Amino acid sequence: MAAEIINVTTKDQLQFGLNIRKKVFVEEQKVPVDLEIDEYDVISEDVHHILVQNEDGEYVATGRLIYYNNETAKMQRIAVLQDYRKGGYGRILLMAMEKRARELGLAYSILDAQCQAENFYAKQGYETISKEPFDDAGIPHVRMKKTL
């Protein structure tokens, strides 16, 4: 499987990522759009959006990272279009996001995983650090952390 990693630098690229997120979170998971789109959905030195493009030129996955603190990236809005979820694109996306965090000089990654995806992240080396699941937009989540 060939995939291209794109560090988002244009408004058009950002919009492709937002479209993926709207399909996954708003349409599929019924997250209200006003909770899904926020102040980090901009082109900025403080926010790093990533797109994954498949061999057919389609954008199939997206995610963003922000600075959680001086040494930790917070991985957010990780989304893979439904038809591509078994194709390894989630792992490729996460690896690209972690690579970007290392390039930024960060040593750790945290994320709030939907409980149904906890095993996926555990296989990628993340450890659950929250004591109990918590609600985010009506979906149970756990906080997870990984040393980069």
Side-chain angles (χ1 to χ4, degrees):
M1 168 193 51
E4 182 178 352
I5 306 303
I6 298 163
N7 291 311
V8 172
T9 58
T10 70
K11 288 186 179 186
D12 284 346
Q13 292 170 336
L14 179 62
Q15 190 59 54
F16 283 118
L18 295 176
N19 291 344
I20 292 170
R21 287 173 35 199
K22 285 178 185 174
K23 283 181 186 166
V24 172
F25 298 123
V26 177
E27 294 173 23
E28 281 181 46
Q29 299 182 351
K30 308 301 183 209
V31 173
V33 71
D34 61 318
L35 293 179
E36 174 52 29
I37 307 302
D38 64 20
E39 70 271 16
Y40 295 110
D41 291 321
V42 295
I43 305 292
S44 164
E45 292 180 10
D46 298 326
V47 184
H48 303 272
H49 296 268
I50 308 273
L51 277 170
V52 177
Q53 190 175 39
N54 72 6
E55 59 275 0
D56 296 327
E58 298 172 274
Y59 296 108
V60 299
T62 190
R64 74 176 187 206
L65 68 96
I66 62 172
Y67 295 93
Y68 184 71
N69 61 34
N70 288 341
E71 58 183 13
T72 306
K74 183 160 189 198
M75 308 305 191
Q76 300 181 311
R77 304 305 202 269
I78 297 169
V80 179
L81 291 175
Q82 190 170 28
D83 290 345
Y84 300 94
R85 290 197 189 133
K86 299 295 183 193
Y89 292 103
R91 185 177 62 78
I92 289 169
L93 172 63
L94 192 58
M95 289 171 56
M97 294 174 74
E98 291 169 356
K99 180 179 185 270
R100 185 72 183 117
R102 285 190 297 275
E103 290 169 354
L104 295 167
L106 302 171
Y108 304 98
S109 167
I110 65 163
L111 53 83
D112 294 338
Q114 293 182 9
C115 288
Q116 54 89 13
E118 185 176 3
N119 286 338
F120 166 78
Y121 291 109
K123 288 177 186 173
Q124 312 312 312
Y126 283 80
E127 269 184 62
T128 302
I129 59 172
S130 54
K131 294 193 188 315
E132 293 187 18
F134 57 91
D135 179 85
D136 186 1
I139 301 169
H141 284 70
V142 290
R143 177 148 295 171
M144 303 184 82
K145 185 174 183 177
K146 177 179 179 177
T147 300
L148 299 173

